Amino acid sequence: EDQVTQSPEALRLQEGESSSLNCSYTVSGLRGLFWYRQDPGKGPEFLFTLYSAGEEKEKERLKATLTKKESFLHITAPKPEDSATYLCAVQANGQNFVFGPGTRLSVLP
Amino acid sequence: NAGVMQNPRHLVRRRGQEARLRCSPMKGHSHVYWYRQLPEEGLKFMVYLQKENIIDESGMPKERFSAEFPKEGPSILRIQQVVRGDSAAYFCASSPWGVEGAFFGQGTRLTVV
């Protein structure tokens, strides 16, 4: 069975304090790994797709990396507006997206 | 290019009534996914559809729940004889090929009273 875990469950950072979020996965036949951001009361917002180990994607202060067993979302010099829940999902041969429980990020000014 | 549209945004039903949730995918997207999210919990997969076909309904309860994605019109998630435990946010997502990232709507928040 495909599984996704994320750590930490919650993270509090000071503005400008860089850190990383982890997504570990067990899947047979990975087709893609996806990162989303979700604000309270809203739908997940698509951030990145990663397809193969060694791949990296960047967007503003966010950088996603992928290995054969996990992915990291690096946040450089975060701002309060980066506060959200960050979700990781994998898509395997079954084609549906399996989501992790998310990491709640709070960035304090 | 409008995003994924879900309606209604909020739906209140009494126990035993039916709930119909609608999802219009992004233009050009033929793959639709439905997820349920309880407060402080992750997204739980329910059903994956392509036009006129159910591809995977392994996450959907066998009774009272059904989904369709007709050739014309939106995808519909139908919950019959709702119970309090059905109260949740229901999200729809669509993708063009099924292997790219899926784009989500803003959800329908169902409250059963």
Side-chain angles (χ1 to χ4, degrees):
Chain A
E1 184 180 334
D2 302 335
Q3 287 191 328
V4 179
T5 59
Q6 292 187 246
S7 62
E9 183 177 322
L11 181 62
R12 295 181 70 170
L13 299 173
Q14 289 295 133
E15 184 171 2
E17 180 186 0
S18 301
S19 188
S20 295
L21 312 182
N22 175 266
C23 169
S24 296
Y25 62 91
T26 304
V27 64
S28 54
L30 179 72
R31 297 180 71 175
L33 184 141
F34 308 88
W35 281 98
Y36 289 84
R37 168 193 170 128
Q38 186 174 27
D39 292 294
K42 297 194 174 181
E45 174 189 347
F46 174 75
L47 294 174
F48 301 111
T49 305
L50 300 164
Y51 291 107
S52 57
E55 190 174 358
E56 298 182 352
K57 294 273 180 72
E58 282 190 71
K59 179 180 179 181
E60 295 181 353
R61 295 178 291 282
L62 300 176
K63 178 180 175 181
T65 61
L66 181 64
T67 71
K68 287 187 178 180
K69 293 186 177 181
E70 58 190 351
S71 176
F72 291 93
L73 184 65
H74 307 278
I75 303 176
T76 302
K79 298 182 178 181
E81 54 262 41
D82 294 321
S83 297
T85 296
Y86 289 85
L87 301 169
C88 169
V90 296
Q91 187 184 39
N93 292 327
Q95 299 187 45
N96 76 69
F97 296 83
V98 178
F99 279 83
T103 293
R104 290 191 310 278
L105 174 67
S106 300
V107 181
L108 307 176
Chain B
N1 184 14
V4 177
M5 303 300 291
Q6 289 189 249
N7 66 81
R9 291 292 309 277
H10 300 275
L11 182 61
V12 179
R13 283 289 177 265
R14 295 186 183 278
R15 281 178 295 170
Q17 290 185 319
E18 178 180 287
R20 280 189 178 231
L21 287 61
R22 293 175 181 76
C23 169
S24 296
M26 289 179 69
K27 187 176 180 181
H29 288 195
S30 59
H31 299 251
V32 166
Y33 308 82
W34 285 93
Y35 288 83
R36 176 162 64 179
Q37 188 174 43
L38 294 170
E40 304 302 320
E41 292 191 13
L43 289 158
K44 301 298 183 187
F45 168 75
M46 297 183 73
V47 62
Y48 165 34
L49 310 104
Q50 293 180 28
K51 283 285 188 182
E52 299 185 276
N53 289 304
I54 296 175
I55 307 302
D56 181 356
E57 56 182 348
S58 59
M60 201 152 68
K62 293 286 188 279
E63 297 181 356
R64 303 189 297 109
F65 286 74
S66 62
E68 62 178 11
F69 188 16
K71 187 176 180 180
E72 301 290 339
S75 176
I76 305 289
L77 179 67
R78 182 182 177 202
I79 311 172
Q80 294 179 290
Q81 298 177 317
V82 297
V83 300
R84 289 233 170 97
D86 296 332
S87 296
Y90 292 83
F91 289 98
C92 166
S94 72
S95 71
W97 299 102
V99 295
E100 297 289 331
F103 295 85
F104 281 80
Q106 292 303 306
T108 293
R109 279 149 189 83
L110 172 66
T111 302
V112 180
V113 297

